[in-house]
Amino acid sequence: MEAGTASSGSGIHLPGMEIAKASKNRYEVMIGPAHPGSGHMRIFVEVDGDIMVKVDPDIGFVHRTMEKLAEGREWIQNIPLFERIAILDACNITLPYVRAVEKLLGIEAPERARYLRTLLCEINRVASHLYGMGIFGVFLGHSTLYMWAFGDREVFIDLAERLTGARLTHTYPVFGGVRRDIPDDFPEDARKATRYMRKRLNEYAKIFLNNPNIRSRLENVGVLTKNQAAELGLVGPNIRASGIRYDVRLNEPYEAYGDVDFEIPVFEEGDSLARAWARVEEVRQSLNIIDQVVTWLEKHPRENFMHEKFWKTAPKLYKDVYEGKISYSPKYRIKLMPIFASLKVPPGKSFARVEAGRGEIVYYVESNGDIFPYRVRVVSPSFRNVIAFKYVMPGHRLMDLPAIYGSFDYFPPAFDR
Amino acid sequence: MPAKVSQKKNPKRNPLGKVFAGNIGALAVGLKYFFDPNRITLLYPHEYIKLNKGYRGFIVLIKEKCISCSSCARICPAAAMRMLSVKVYNEKLKKYMIKKYPVINYNRCIFCGLCVDVCPTEALYHVPYHDIVYENMNDMILSLEDFQKEPENIEFKEGIPVKYYFDERRGLVKTPYMEELEKRNEKEEKNQKVEGEGEKGAS
């Protein structure tokens, strides 16, 4: 296997700091550090002629010390902080932190809040996949898909804006509930958006995935076998394209995922094309979930959006704001109790995971009863996916690098945290 | 019902061959959008989006409602909001007292809206716009007087207000928001009548 030989070298491997012996026909190519297509990442590629021999992703360019910063902030202040890990997937990224703290507090979000969280998670997943698809398109020189995907992403960002009040940094789930209920005209808008997107996905397939030019660049390129994917510990749509049936929504249903009806698409091939199709199919399932959740929210009365522990102490003004009786503030806003500003979480350790757009995200939270967390550990999906480059890319030609890179839908700020 | 796994495969290449199945299909879709494009571009300074009431934009203080509890300053994740001590004349006790009011530094604000949500008397509220230019960074640290006014938006004077609507066929459709335009025209007419000769917005 080329993968084995490529990884084993002599001496210590410190990326960027080693002195490489120049052999006759080998050149080192730097992809990055500021790549126009994706952001700040760097990949050291050693090429023999046109063929990649050694690929070394150099992580750490956008490191923001999130975990350390979290130790100096109060519990609720960390929610807007962790959003910055992957800003286009904000709800999915912060949800496990909220769930972990809820476990420590010994509370669980009520039913309506669970459905509202699921709704925003799926809207975010669609937006995140469309972003990835657009980057994938422009990496392969297909600017049409880039424009289309980013334009259609706007539809879902607009939906999220109507729900939460912000386009990307929603700060939507809070301990014990959510911050807003859906507006009155939201279900209709959401249904229009999903119907539009289903039709658009067929056109995406026509112009991009079934396009013979694109197909021949993706088919049998960057094949990740089932064993390899399991061995490297990859997550998300990337392993589901290699035939592994692993999805947190399936294995450990959280929020309202146990109640909605949807499928987890699993592909066998494991090549770049399968990874792209896995995302398209996943978007389709997400649209189904949005439809179901919106119907549920419409049918059920607007109550139970915040945990009893917090909401029962709410003064009359809070209920007036929710019902829209205050002229200058919008309707269906759920105000936070002043206790949130100085929340003390009982000591303990907890752990939560969620299936984000790019894969499983894990939070480990430790509290010693203070107003700050003692330790927060984040393992983001891109961090677990980036290692695949090292084992999948060698053996391919240099022109296949963007095809493989794009198909892994990998987001530099997410691995560096 | 929990999720189900559905086993799928990459769609096969069409037996009709590359040319018919792929290229022609892609070209047909491309041609369709060549003649009937899906445009959502906003010509920004000339048009601006009239955002919904729930949008989390700039924050305004209603001083009379503030009870100086400093919840907003404590919850602020970016330390943008601080409490300012002000001497206030108390008419009941007939003496000057120190009272605290929040002020904001827009250099730091991330518009998360936690301060507005945590305020127990609803003394803060959002205005539904966020595109405001300051001449220098010191102006972005608002004084107590500035914090009580709704910030002025220059686009509102000249640009055309636009709203995006959801559509099944087109996704988002950009439509001029006529109500807002009419409102503004009425205002201008009134101003012209009052001032005698109308000073048209030279800014």
Side-chain angles (χ1 to χ4, degrees), chain A residues 100-152:
Chain A
V101 177
E102 276 176 355
K103 274 183 199 168
L104 286 175
L105 287 167
I107 56 172
E108 204 175 294
E111 204 175 17
R112 191 173 178 87
R114 292 211 310 268
Y115 271 87
L116 284 166
R117 285 176 182 185
T118 312
L119 175 63
L120 188 62
C121 278
E122 290 308 316
I123 290 173
N124 267 341
R125 197 188 309 280
V126 176
S128 161
H129 280 337
L130 285 176
Y131 178 94
M133 235 186 274
I135 293 288
F136 192 17
V138 82
F139 261 55
L140 293 173
H142 198 286
S143 336
T144 311
L145 188 82
Y146 171 64
M147 293 292 173
W148 282 19
F150 271 69
D152 290 341

Side-chain angles (χ1 to χ4, degrees), chain A residues 70-352:
Chain A
E71 289 167 21
R73 278 160 196 260
E74 290 174 22
W75 290 95
I76 196 160
Q77 294 178 348
N78 280 329
I79 300 174
L81 174 72
F82 288 133
E83 252 168 16
R84 268 82 185 158
I85 291 173
I87 212 153
L88 51 147
D89 206 4
C91 184
N92 279 318
I93 294 289
T94 51
L95 187 57
Y97 171 72
V98 172
R99 282 175 61 78
V101 177
E102 276 176 355
K103 274 183 199 168
L104 286 175
L105 287 167
I107 56 172
E108 204 175 294
E111 204 175 17
R112 191 173 178 87
R114 292 211 310 268
Y115 271 87
L116 284 166
R117 285 176 182 185
T118 312
L119 175 63
L120 188 62
C121 278
E122 290 308 316
I123 290 173
N124 267 341
R125 197 188 309 280
V126 176
S128 161
H129 280 337
L130 285 176
Y131 178 94
M133 235 186 274
I135 293 288
F136 192 17
V138 82
F139 261 55
L140 293 173
H142 198 286
S143 336
T144 311
L145 188 82
Y146 171 64
M147 293 292 173
W148 282 19
F150 271 69
D152 290 341
R153 177 172 165 256
E154 204 63 26
V155 178
F156 288 91
I157 288 179
D158 228 60
L159 270 185
E161 189 216 291
R162 270 161 220 221
L163 177 59
T164 68
R167 281 163 54 86
L168 292 169
T169 49
H170 316 301
T171 326
Y172 191 61
V174 288
F175 315 131
V178 290
R179 284 180 61 197
R180 285 199 194 183
D181 208 337
I182 50 168
D184 286 325
D185 54 349
F186 188 85
E188 209 176 304
D189 287 345
R191 274 188 212 108
K192 276 181 193 165
T194 53
R195 254 176 260 152
Y196 165 74
M197 199 59 224
R198 273 198 204 97
K199 196 191 71 187
R200 273 301 256 189
L201 283 176
N202 296 334
E203 287 177 348
Y204 280 20
K206 264 185 203 160
I207 207 158
F208 188 68
L209 290 169
N210 285 339
N211 187 336
N213 304 319
I214 298 296
R215 239 193 119 107
S216 43
R217 286 202 63 183
L218 300 183
E219 217 167 9
N220 296 326
V221 167
V223 179
L224 189 72
T225 59
K226 206 170 176 176
N227 282 340
Q228 222 178 350
E231 213 173 276
L232 295 171
L234 307 188
V235 281
N238 302 330
I239 53 162
R240 268 170 259 139
S242 295
I244 298 177
R245 301 172 175 206
Y246 181 71
D247 189 315
V248 186
R249 293 176 292 173
L250 173 77
N251 298 33
E252 193 187 292
Y254 55 94
E255 305 304 344
Y257 286 110
D259 306 327
V260 290
D261 186 20
F262 68 106
E263 290 174 350
I264 308 269
V266 174
F267 285 74
E268 283 297 325
E269 289 86 349
D271 56 355
S272 291
L273 190 64
R275 281 192 286 273
W277 270 110
R279 290 206 167 73
V280 172
E281 293 295 333
E282 212 161 90
V283 168
R284 222 166 251 154
Q285 295 305 323
S286 290
L287 298 176
N288 284 346
I289 298 174
I290 292 174
D291 276 352
Q292 287 175 44
V293 169
V294 155
T295 318
W296 190 96
L297 287 171
E298 222 177 10
K299 271 184 197 164
H300 288 74
R302 290 175 184 269
E303 54 190 23
N304 287 333
F305 32 76
M306 193 55 141
H307 192 263
E308 275 286 290
K309 191 182 171 184
F310 297 118
W311 194 250
K312 80 178 172 203
T313 57
K316 191 176 166 289
L317 177 84
Y318 280 35
K319 278 151 198 164
D320 285 350
V321 169
Y322 184 80
E323 284 156 16
K325 284 178 188 165
I326 309 279
S327 59
Y328 52 85
S329 78
K331 225 176 168 187
Y332 303 133
R333 239 181 71 223
I334 299 149
K335 282 179 75 67
L336 303 172
M337 310 304 121
I339 193 181
F340 276 105
S342 55
L343 191 70
K344 278 188 182 172
V345 174
K349 298 166 186 177
S350 82
F351 166 89

